[in-house]
Amino acid sequence: MRRRERFTIPGKYILFVLTVLCVGTMSLSFLTDFDGGPLNVISGYVLIPVQRGINSAGGWMRSKVENLEELTAVRGENESLKEQVAELTLENNSLLQERYELAELRRLYDLDNEYGSLDKIAANVIGKDTGNWFHMFLIDKGSDDGIRVDMNVIAGGGLVGIVTKTGPDWAQVRSIIDDMSNVSAMVLKNSDLCYVRGDLQMMTEGTMQLNELRDPNDEVEQGDKVVTSHVSAKFHKGILIGYVNEIHTDANNLTKSGSLTPAVDFEHLSTVLVITDLKQQVDVNKADGEEADSQEEQPPVSGDETEESSGTPDGESSTTPDVPESAEGEETE
């Protein structure tokens, strides 16, 4: 059975009809007042909602575009600020480091002036033993720079330790807080002798051992300065070691013991001063100088006067100073 063909209107005829309708409507609007009534009503119900929808969609798109532009600008500004923050952080760290180094150098300068009669050389700490404390460490000066074993090392507030080994461009320092350290000391205000021994276990509380103190008049009290003594074999006299923390009478009722707070911060050491004058050399030079001065200033005397002067001066004993029996083991390495 043959199917019936469907009737279709060509598209060009539809376009022609719509064109004529539009032209006619436009002509009617211009030539008459027809658009004032029905057309406005129709447009109010049809065109205005469409226009509002288009305006809303356009506003939404415009806000999104503006937000995207602002977000892009903010991201660019954020990246720039991050770079500035990184630069300022590096600059701040550098300034803090320089400030710390300046403060350290100022303390060393003051310390250098305090012990101005002794020759010194500055050195940087380049290595240390494990642990929090600088009880054994290396410095960047050695025998080529004139560093020798038994030279005293100072920093910050006072005595740090003593040189125990040297190389061409390095030296090892044993600080006074090390368990093997034993320094002959005295209380500054009355010159009573004692010993300061290192104790890493006590350093967890920031103190050291203070032993064999001769204090017959009970003058020593908390806060008194303790310095190296004149009978020390290796340490120069008068270098500040620390401050009395606590003290009590020993069982023998003859000596006292306690603890001492070191003057140096042994948890933060970066730069030190090495006293290049050895204690033995200084003592020998002083003795030679005093002997030469006494020979030059002593007037001629008769034989009888010489005989009488062969004894010791009044008030002095010909025996050696009374020091604790453990003096043989002082300043052990």
Side-chain angles (χ1 to χ4, degrees):
M1 182 176 179
R2 187 177 179 181
R3 298 181 59 182
R4 296 179 58 184
E5 295 182 358
R6 298 181 60 182
F7 175 76
T8 56
I9 301 175
K12 59 182 180 179
Y13 295 126
I14 296 175
L15 180 60
F16 176 75
V17 172
L18 292 176
T19 301
V20 170
L21 181 60
C22 290
V23 172
T25 304
M26 292 172 60
S27 301
L28 183 62
S29 298
F30 282 110
L31 297 177
T32 65
D33 193 21
F34 177 76
D35 61 336
L39 289 179
N40 285 338
V41 175
I42 294 173
S43 64
Y45 283 103
V46 178
L47 298 180
I48 290 178
V50 175
Q51 185 177 4
R52 287 177 179 174
I54 294 174
N55 289 338
S56 298
W60 181 79
M61 291 293 295
R62 184 169 59 251
S63 64
K64 292 300 181 181
V65 171
E66 291 177 352
N67 290 339
L68 182 60
E69 292 177 351
E70 291 179 359
L71 181 60
T72 303
V74 168
R75 285 181 176 176
E77 185 178 356
N78 187 37
E79 293 297 328
S80 177
L81 290 175
K82 284 183 178 180
E83 293 178 359
Q84 292 181 12
V85 168
E87 293 177 359
L88 291 175
T89 301
L90 291 175
E91 184 178 354
N92 186 49
N93 291 337
S94 178
L95 290 174
L96 289 175
Q97 182 66 24
E98 291 179 358
R99 180 181 178 183
Y100 172 77
E101 291 177 355
L102 179 60
E104 184 71 15
L105 291 175
R106 283 177 176 173
R107 286 193 292 268
L108 290 178
Y109 177 76
D110 295 337
L111 196 62
D112 183 37
N113 290 334
E114 185 175 353
Y115 302 101
S117 61
L118 300 172
D119 293 332
K120 294 170 286 294
I121 183 173
N124 296 312
V125 178
I126 58 175
K128 61 183 286 292
D129 276 2
T130 57
N132 296 330
W133 308 104
F134 284 79
H135 62 100
M136 292 286 289
F137 59 91
L138 298 177
I139 57 176
D140 61 353
K141 294 292 190 297
S143 56
D144 291 346
D145 304 290
I147 304 298
R148 296 172 60 187
V149 174
D150 288 343
M151 285 185 172
N152 298 181
V153 181
I154 57 178
L159 182 64
V160 172
I162 195 167
V163 176
T164 56
K165 295 180 182 179
T166 60
D169 56 358
W170 60 270
Q172 183 186 65
V173 178
R174 184 191 302 278
S175 67
I176 59 174
I177 66 171
D178 187 77
D179 292 332
M180 299 296 293
S181 177
N182 187 24
V183 182
S184 175
M186 65 180 181
V187 179
L188 185 61
K189 73 177 182 181
N190 59 7
S191 298
D192 283 344
L193 297 176
C194 60
Y195 280 93
V196 174
R197 292 186 172 91
D199 192 326
L200 291 178
Q201 186 174 358
M202 290 182 63
M203 276 305 297
T204 57
E205 300 177 358
T207 59
M208 302 168 57
Q209 292 185 32
L210 179 65
N211 298 326
E212 301 182 37
L213 171 64
R214 305 296 178 91
D215 183 27
N217 299 322
D218 295 329
E219 297 176 333
V220 180
E221 56 188 1
Q222 185 179 12
D224 285 344
K225 289 184 177 181
V226 177
V227 300
T228 51
S229 73
H230 56 283
V231 298
S232 175
K234 297 180 181 180
F235 291 99
H236 293 279
K237 174 187 174 183
I239 302 178
L240 179 63
I241 300 175
Y243 306 88
V244 176
N245 180 53
E246 62 177 358
I247 192 170
H248 55 81
T249 303
D250 294 331
N252 57 18
N253 291 323
L254 297 176
T255 60
K256 294 181 178 180
S257 300
S259 61
L260 173 142
T261 302
V264 175
D265 182 4
F266 286 98
E267 197 172 4
H268 305 93
L269 278 179
S270 59
T271 309
V272 297
L273 290 178
V274 181
I275 299 177
T276 55
D277 295 323
L278 288 171
K279 171 68 184 300
Q280 298 88 338
Q281 291 179 341
V282 172
D283 290 345
V284 170
N285 292 338
K286 285 184 178 180
D288 292 343
E290 291 174 358
E291 182 179 356
D293 292 340
S294 62
Q295 290 177 356
E296 291 178 0
E297 295 177 1
Q298 185 175 4
V301 294
S302 62
D304 294 338
E305 290 174 339
T306 305
E307 218 172 63
E308 292 177 1
S309 63
S310 62
T312 57
D314 293 339
E316 296 185 6
S317 173
S318 60
T319 60
T320 57
D322 184 15
V323 296
E325 295 178 358
S326 58
E328 295 179 357
E330 74 159 343
E331 298 141 0
T332 55
E333 298 176 1

